[in-house]
Amino acid sequence: MSRTDLGPPDYKEMLPPVIKENYGQWLYHEYLKPGVMKHVSEKGDALYTIRIGSPRLVGLDTVRELCDLADKYCDGYLRFTSRHNVELLVSNEANVDPLLAELKQKGMPVGGTGNSISNIVHTQGWIHCHTPATDASGIVKAVMDDLYDYFTHDDLLPARLRVAMACCLNMCGAVHCSDIAILGIHRTPPRIDHTKVSKVCEIPTVIASCPTAAIKPDPKNKSVKVTEEKCMYCGNCYTMCPAMEIMDPLNDGIAILVGGKVSNSRTAPGFSRLAIPFLPNNAPRWPEVTEAVRNIVETWAKDAKKGERMGEWISRIGWERFFDRTGIPFTDKHIDDYIFSIPTFRTTTNFKW
Amino acid sequence: MSRTDLGPPDYKEMLPPVIKENYGQWLYHEYLKPGVMKHVSEKGDALYTIRIGSPRLVGLDTVRELCDLADKYCDGYLRFTSRHNVELLVSNEANVDPLLAELKQKGMPVGGTGNSISNIVHTQGWIHCHTPATDASGIVKAVMDDLYDYFTHDDLLPARLRVAMACCLNMCGAVHCSDIAILGIHRTPPRIDHTKVSKVCEIPTVIASCPTAAIKPDPKNKSVKVTEEKCMYCGNCYTMCPAMEIMDPLNDGIAILVGGKVSNSRTAPGFSRLAIPFLPNNAPRWPEVTEAVRNIVETWAKDAKKGERMGEWISRIGWERFFDRTGIPFTDKHIDDYIFSIPTFRTTTNFKW
Amino acid sequence: MTERKTPMLDELEKGPWPSFVTDLKRAAEKNDSVKDLIAQLEQSYEEKKGHWKHGGIVGVRGYGAGVIGRYSDEPEKYPNIAEFHTLRINSPAGWFYDTKTLRNVCDMWEEHGSGLLNLHGTTGDIILLGTKTNELQPTFDAFSDAGFDLGGSGSGLRSPSACCGPARCEWACYDTLDVCDNLTHEYQDEMHRPMWPYKFKFKFSGCPNDCVASIARSDLSVIGTWRDTLRINQEEIKNYANSGMDIQGRVCEKCPTKALTFNSETKELFVKAEDCTRCMHCINVLPKAVRPGKEKGATLMIGGKSTILRSAFLSWVIVPFMPLEAPYTELKDLIARIWEWWDEHGKTRERIGELIYRLGMGNFLRAVDLPPVPQMVKEPRANPYIFWQADEVIKADEATK
Amino acid sequence: MTERKTPMLDELEKGPWPSFVTDLKRAAEKNDSVKDLIAQLEQSYEEKKGHWKHGGIVGVRGYGAGVIGRYSDEPEKYPNIAEFHTLRINSPAGWFYDTKTLRNVCDMWEEHGSGLLNLHGTTGDIILLGTKTNELQPTFDAFSDAGFDLGGSGSGLRSPSACCGPARCEWACYDTLDVCDNLTHEYQDEMHRPMWPYKFKFKFSGCPNDCVASIARSDLSVIGTWRDTLRINQEEIKNYANSGMDIQGRVCEKCPTKALTFNSETKELFVKAEDCTRCMHCINVLPKAVRPGKEKGATLMIGGKSTILRSAFLSWVIVPFMPLEAPYTELKDLIARIWEWWDEHGKTRERIGELIYRLGMGNFLRAVDLPPVPQMVKEPRANPYIFWQADEVIKADEATK
Ligand code: SRM
Ligand code: SRM
Ligand code: SRM
Ligand code: SRM
Ligand code: SF4
Ligand code: SF4
Ligand code: SF4
Ligand code: SF4
Ligand code: SF4
Ligand code: SF4
Ligand code: SF4
Ligand code: SF4
């Protein structure tokens, strides 16, 4: 019988020799070209990293192809990044150019370093989850196709650009702190199947799951009822109770949030904030979404100072200008009405016309 | 019989002629010396204002004395400021110096303009209110005595200094947005007189009055009970119900908050924030309070750049440095645990040691 | 009447700042209630404890507000302050007085009360501090005859107040005194007969310096501003520069939007108008050279208040710009809509800001018919908990029909 | 098994970015479940609606986590994905692989499942995407034999993850990979047998650039930092300056604390150490010339999470500096105290950050025995609603005794 609680494999055993020998002794790095980095150690050793864009949802053929490349050029070593790119770890400088040539020939995108867009961190969508308001992989593909040049170049954008996508507001893609967040949202209250509620759900848990206390017991039906004005369609109740259907093809769609970041560089990390409350779910290529994202990216690229990330740009020019310059209409939806709303209100006369 | 709903007297009738003639046509002003301003109109007319510090709680003798001065030097016109100072409105330049001389001789403080401390906005305290945790007029007198030079000079401080004092957390003195706020606080839960509750109070209103839902019905006693861990001694219940005594001489005292402001100049208005959670109620001259205020003022005066108000100084150096430099200990009390606490937490690694 | 030594209060007659104790003592010479007040205060100083009881409901005929009832909790010991109520007298806009009027106030109050007063209360009223129940009506009658009226208290409109504005300040962007006076007269009923969930305050500041602290201390803050470009007098800029003023350092570098450039050669100052947020800083530092623009009006903000219950709020923008010309119809219409909504939905002791917090700005804006604009927020929502109105979504049953 | 046209998905094979559809189609050639998956996905694209049902409880022997159950809601139409569960395989720290291992993963997954995977899931696991209930145990057995184990799911510890740290980055202030690996092994039980109020995540970043987004996406964020002064190599500064880098503009002016001064004559850069908040900016822009200091460790932060329920939180500082050396006893002791308190007081689906929000930092700090320090807050409280502990006040009955 298999053993339990073995834990993950030992990372040390899978590090390339140049890393083992220079572990903790790296001195600096250089960008040789987009997607190609050189790390130099105190001893003078060098490691070359080639970063390749990945759809993240891959089949075995692709993985084996990557292994072939790593075997051919990297002594069998590669890694994946926190944004799900592939990094081929080249110890021998002579292998860099041939590898790049082969990648080019194979059509595999090299890039994502420095002032570029990296891969879109994303989630399951219609591929595998039960609460999505949209697909994830499809939108990511459409957007990355559209922004492809910004991945393979690092001199077109003022700063790095991190886009994330989550198919529902659970936000598994951690879109809440991204330069641009693409977020699937529901827009109608759950539709309750009263015949199922008492069978498949624990009523007190369902009631407790609602952040706005919109759910009340409905003893007559041995079920629950929802005060619709209070419901903001989070789907929490559905996660607790499959009899409260939240998916609604007529109204589900996408919201765009902008200006978040994670790093502490210069400015503190911050949340992405609502730019576009709703875009329709136009599969298979979501033209409204790609267009909206491109518009935001290009407005920023044109207007920001060098080194200014999306949120830094917005905080310099002000949100009133952001809406002006992108041409995005401002609506009541943009104004927070949840727990921490008050600190987001403009409590000063200092604003721009 | 007297008429009702007459409204306030017509302000127009009490304006000095120079104001009537130049109403809305003032062009600029100058500070001639601390407490002495000259306003010049587009027509070239000038109005001289002499600002005098006032204890605000005054008797008729003082008011009549002010009237005498106004009659003698100001054609009978004077006003009061939003911080309860007196302003003598001199139309005839020749009267300025004689008036100043007489004020000096009478010991009436002239100042409060420009980069000075103005009067302390304050409240009733033991003079007239039923919920105070301390007196107001007494502390104000003690602090203004101590900071007197900063009132009569405008070149000792980096910027204006606005101190306010409220005798309980209702904050009638609007201490919540002051450079320095002196605030009376209670520190123990209300002591309930069960025999009186049902007679003098409306129990549901009392329960609803508690911001932390610490009050529950106590049907056995026909009264209410307080969950002590939840009570933060706001005294709201006492305002609704005199049978819930909140005053507690053993524990009542003073908190100091700092760094608030009201004007939109440079930075947005902001709240004063807790610096010292508790100082004892040492009437009649509250030496701990005067000492604490002086320490904060002098640390700021020494350390801030010209033009930097208390809060601007603190936000430049950081709160960690504020506590260092003033020598005030940081405690769990300083960390917010009310509704909007989360946005006050340090959600970045960017801090100073 | 209790005569006693007051060693603690005596300490407060020392020092350079004018002493309220001295004023109390002088007043006590003419008025026995002040003697008791001093004695009770000395006792409070000794015991570190107030000695006033909850105010009962006292007032004058036809009014539900303007009087704060107050009773000593040791009436046997201090019989002259067994009753010691205050009257709030609505002050003239901007707190301008002539001595005739002020002397008259003194005379009336000498006759009817303790002779103590606050000039002014923090809301801005003349506070007549201490009289007996049976003096309330006569006091009111006297003041009314002299052209005064009561201010607000309780769950109604509180006495509005205004900065000196156009009367004494070059920066006033609207007539603070006139708006204050006009609205105070308009809303006498709302002020004198409290009938709302809680109190409501107006304060009027002529510019963003906000000299009446309206943003912090009023539910509806009216703050002057301008829509066009601030005006620069280049001659005066030169004069400042020549007199040694560090314009680059003290003005340009402190401009929050970096909208200013100073040409140190020509000694000229330029503003990038579309970046300026009208913070007043450059105007404040260079009052002779820089002034507000010409297209003037006010920003309306809502929700300012102190701590109770949901902690203090600063007012936030609801109308970025409203021209304010008498008879202020647009402003009054909006006020009517705001009060109506608050009155309908507010819980007891829930101020307008807290109600909006509870029900959301979207609902508020729809109810009072104001268009949402980005000037209302520092930043848009970070959470995805967006409410959709019925007409914004497709009903499943409609679609299937 | 359903063969059908997929005109919508076909559209997603166009364009330069690698297509998941192409990968699906290639996988479908070898695996029927992927054929059904494609067909069901095409239906989702047509209908704009997901077709997965709530996961039932499935798993492997001895484990309560690591498997997400998933069922098609049209099992008759798509019988090969009637069951289509994912396994979460805990990845090696830093996501470093050799091809031998990775090929082995492929072979095992070819045998037991759909052949589709996510490299990686957003928490960092290898996601084996889609297999049947009766394949779960055999899949696990095979992976276990190959040295792999399951990751986390449900209300337990989730698979910790780490940036590449000292393995490939010059800025790592502690050994992210080792801490991650060590703690993951230490807490196997907490990960595999969920028994808490809700999920709990660790993420380890070697420096404040936070390349694993720990501050946003983990309940306990461990971010490298240093206590002393950053190190400047003046030779390299000169090289940068000579190569045309605008050090004044791009570095000094963007330093958030204005701690840097550049002498353009001598081409030297100086830091005022006590002002620097270690934001990394100057280091990021001048990687050859500036580096972190020598006294290294980590800042511990708590509470990071996504939207549910009280909206998203970023982690906040609870320990400004902790040296991190194996066996990480101080860290583990603290974790034990945190979990104990959360376990005792947390409600179902209440993450640690939300619990602290509900009960207050004061209570949290006392419970886990951490000293309050100003580094924990951006700013102190503005409200006066301060709680006092019993031993900080004088009890009335004690005093009268
Ligand atoms: C490989 C990776 C770590 C890993 O273990 O996987 C990594 C590696 C590096 N990061 Fe990162 N970062 C990685 C994700 C991140 C993330 C997380 C994310 O994007 O989700 C962040 C936070 C992003 C944010 O703020 O929203 C991140 C914020 C940074 C920063 C700060 C940038 C800024 O100015 O805000 C730097 C410094 C810089 O580039 O100037 C940095 C720098 C670097 C350096 C230069 C560090 C070094 O000396 O080796 C590495 C190459 C950067 C590059 O791509 O240009 N790395 N880095 C991750 C690559 C993801 C990818 O495929 O794109
Ligand atoms: C008389 C008064 C208005 C009134 O109708 O009563 C007034 C009058 C003036 N204020 Fe004010 N302010 C008055 C209360 C305020 C307040 C309210 C308060 O203190 O409670 C504020 C907001 C304070 C705050 O931010 O906390 C206030 C913030 C300002 C500012 C902005 C200062 C800043 O940099 O933050 C200026 C501009 C300046 O002085 O540079 C200003 C400027 C002025 C000017 C220069 C305006 C003018 O051109 O006449 C007046 C003389 C100022 C002086 O005292 O040096 N006034 N001013 C108030 C005098 C109160 C007193 O007795 O001290
Ligand atoms: C007299 C005055 C203080 C003073 O010494 O000047 C005052 C005195 C009282 N205030 Fe006030 N407030 C006074 C201005 C304020 C202000 C300042 C302002 O208006 O600019 C505030 C802060 C701004 C605001 O409205 O939030 C203020 C916030 C409160 C509060 C808390 C309200 C809140 O929403 O947080 C209470 C509590 C309550 O309403 O129960 C309160 C309650 C009280 C009561 C009625 C106490 C009570 O519950 O019975 C005090 C009566 C004292 C007495 O015996 O006369 N008072 N009160 C001020 C009115 C004078 C006037 O009319 O000119
Ligand atoms: C697979 C994965 C998305 C992906 O495509 O990569 C995922 C998938 C799910 N997440 Fe997640 N979460 C995944 C990473 C995250 C992250 C990101 C992270 O860990 O860095 C987050 C945001 C960070 C956080 O923890 O807050 C995240 C926040 C959530 C939430 C909201 C939690 C909250 O407190 O706000 C839920 C809702 C819940 O727990 O009921 C959730 C729930 C779910 C469930 C289990 C849906 C459910 O309620 O049953 C999804 C199962 C999908 C499926 O069918 O496989 N998932 N989830 C990620 C795990 C892969 C892995 O193990 O490597
Ligand atoms: S974001 Fe929502 S729909 Fe998407 S994988 Fe996470 S839980 Fe599922
Ligand atoms: S969707 Fe969310 S807000 Fe609506 S009822 Fe369900 S849990 Fe409550
Ligand atoms: S602050 Fe409190 S005690 Fe003081 S006057 Fe106002 S309500 Fe009364
Ligand atoms: S003092 Fe305040 S918190 Fe305490 S019981 Fe009374 S109302 Fe509640
Ligand atoms: S608020 Fe503006 S207009 Fe009014 S007095 Fe102050 S500076 Fe002048
Ligand atoms: S008013 Fe303020 S924002 Fe406008 S130019 Fe002057 S200093 Fe700058
Ligand atoms: S977090 Fe810091 S140490 Fe880790 S990879 Fe990123 S830059 Fe390097
Ligand atoms: S690390 Fe950041 S704060 Fe420190 S000197 Fe460099 S740029 Fe300034």
Side-chain angles (χ1 to χ4, degrees), chain B residues 325-351:
Chain B
R325 294 199 186 155
T326 55
I328 297 170
F330 185 87
T331 69
D332 56 332
K333 315 281 175 295
H334 290 91
I335 307 179
D336 196 359
D337 47 18
Y338 202 48
I339 304 175
F340 304 108
S341 58
I342 295 282
T344 71
F345 296 164
R346 178 98 59 167
T347 52
T348 169
T349 56
N350 296 348
F351 55 79

Side-chain angles (χ1 to χ4, degrees), chain B residues 55 74 247:
Chain B
C74 310
M247 277 190 290

Side-chain angles (χ1 to χ4, degrees), chain B residues 2 5-6 23 26 29-30 59 62 64 71 82 128 135 141 145 169-170 174 236 238-239 285 338, chain C residues 14 17 23 45 54 63 70 84 99 103 110 141 149 167 170 175 192 211 217 288 306-307 309 349:
Chain B
S2 60
D5 297 341
L6 197 62
Y23 195 89
W26 298 104
H29 70 276
E30 284 177 324
T62 298
R64 286 174 177 143
D71 284 337
S82 63
H128 204 263
D135 192 31
K141 164 73 174 140
D145 279 345
L169 49 63
N170 284 337
N236 247 299
Y238 178 61
T239 296
R285 293 204 66 103
Y338 202 48
Chain C
K14 300 175 182 165
W17 190 251
D23 269 50
Y45 270 55
H54 244 266
Y63 283 62
R70 202 54 89 213
F84 199 66
T99 48
R103 288 189 197 274
E110 183 152 40
D141 292 344
D149 199 347
E170 65 268 32
D175 191 338
H192 291 144
C211 294
R217 288 159 59 179
K288 290 187 182 172
S306 166
T307 334
L309 294 175
R349 281 169 72 76

Side-chain angles (χ1 to χ4, degrees), chain D residues 226 230 251 254-257 259-260 271 275-283:
Chain D
W226 61 96
L230 45 74
V251 185
K254 296 220 159 178
C255 167
T257 59
L260 295 169
V271 64
D275 281 355
C276 168
T277 52
R278 305 167 312 289
C279 82
M280 294 294 296
H281 173 69
C282 56
I283 299 175

Side-chain angles (χ1 to χ4, degrees), chain B residues 16-307:
Chain B
V18 63
I19 286 188
K20 280 199 190 123
E21 286 151 25
N22 295 284
Y23 195 89
Q25 298 178 64
W26 298 104
L27 189 59
Y28 68 86
H29 70 276
E30 284 177 324
Y31 294 117
L32 303 184
K33 51 183 86 165
V36 184
M37 291 182 287
K38 177 183 181 182
H39 282 82
V40 179
S41 81
E42 300 195 349
K43 295 197 238 162
D45 292 349
L47 170 72
Y48 298 85
T49 300
I50 316 289
R51 186 177 291 170
I52 309 170
S54 155
R56 189 184 81 126
L57 169 51
V58 288
L60 301 175
D61 293 334
T62 298
V63 182
R64 286 174 177 143
E65 223 166 271
L66 290 168
C67 289
D68 292 343
L69 288 166
D71 284 337
K72 190 161 164 195
Y73 300 102
C74 310
D75 318 310
Y77 295 100
L78 75 171
R79 73 179 291 267
F80 297 82
T81 72
S82 63
R83 298 192 77 87
H84 317 307
N85 286 309
V86 180
E87 287 184 341
L88 295 171
L89 304 170
V90 185
S91 306
N92 183 349
E93 186 176 1
N95 286 344
V96 172
D97 286 335
L99 171 53
L100 288 174
E102 181 161 350
L103 290 169
K104 186 164 191 184
Q105 177 243 314
K106 286 196 149 59
M108 294 172 105
V110 174
T113 54
N115 292 347
S116 68
I117 181 178
S118 182
N119 208 347
I120 299 183
V121 169
H122 65 278
T123 49
Q124 296 297 330
W126 293 329
I127 287 282
H128 204 263
C129 200
H130 68 287
T131 56
T134 187
D135 192 31
S137 310
I139 296 183
V140 165
K141 164 73 174 140
V143 172
M144 284 308 282
D145 279 345
D146 195 49
L147 300 180
Y148 188 79
D149 286 347
Y150 296 117
F151 181 86
T152 55
H153 293 75
D154 61 6
D155 54 358
L156 304 177
L157 296 175
R160 66 182 56 216
L161 173 64
R162 295 295 173 256
V163 183
M165 149 101 233
C167 26
C168 87
L169 49 63
N170 284 337
M171 292 195 180
C172 299
V175 310
H176 56 292
C177 296
S178 297
D179 294 295
I180 298 184
I182 306 172
L183 178 64
I185 55 161
H186 303 291
R187 297 194 301 152
T188 46
R191 292 176 306 283
I192 308 173
D193 182 343
H194 293 297
T195 60
K196 273 171 61 186
V197 170
S198 67
K199 275 171 234 151
V200 297
C201 318
E202 240 188 273
I203 291 183
T205 318
V206 177
I207 291 173
S209 77
C210 178
T212 62
I215 307 179
K216 300 234 145 57
D218 178 358
K220 240 198 305 179
N221 284 319
K222 282 193 186 148
S223 178
V224 295
K225 53 186 168 199
V226 169
T227 315
E228 304 217 340
E229 310 85 71
K230 284 193 172 179
C231 173
M232 39 54 171
Y233 341 109
C234 67
N236 247 299
C237 50
Y238 178 61
T239 296
M240 294 289 101
C241 174
M244 301 186 69
E245 175 69 63
I246 191 77
M247 277 190 290
D248 173 358
L250 292 172
N251 292 297
D252 289 349
I254 284 135
I256 307 279
L257 297 89
V258 303
K261 79 190 271 270
V262 164
S263 83
N264 292 277
S265 189
R266 297 172 306 283
T267 54
F271 295 120
S272 319
R273 299 187 171 273
L274 189 65
I276 304 178
F278 181 71
L279 292 170
N281 237 343
N282 272 340
R285 293 204 66 103
W286 285 268
E288 295 85 354
V289 175
T290 55
E291 175 48 39
V293 171
R294 171 172 282 274
N295 173 36
I296 293 168
V297 170
E298 292 189 342
T299 309
W300 164 65
K302 209 170 58 197
D303 205 54
K305 295 187 180 165
K306 189 163 172 64

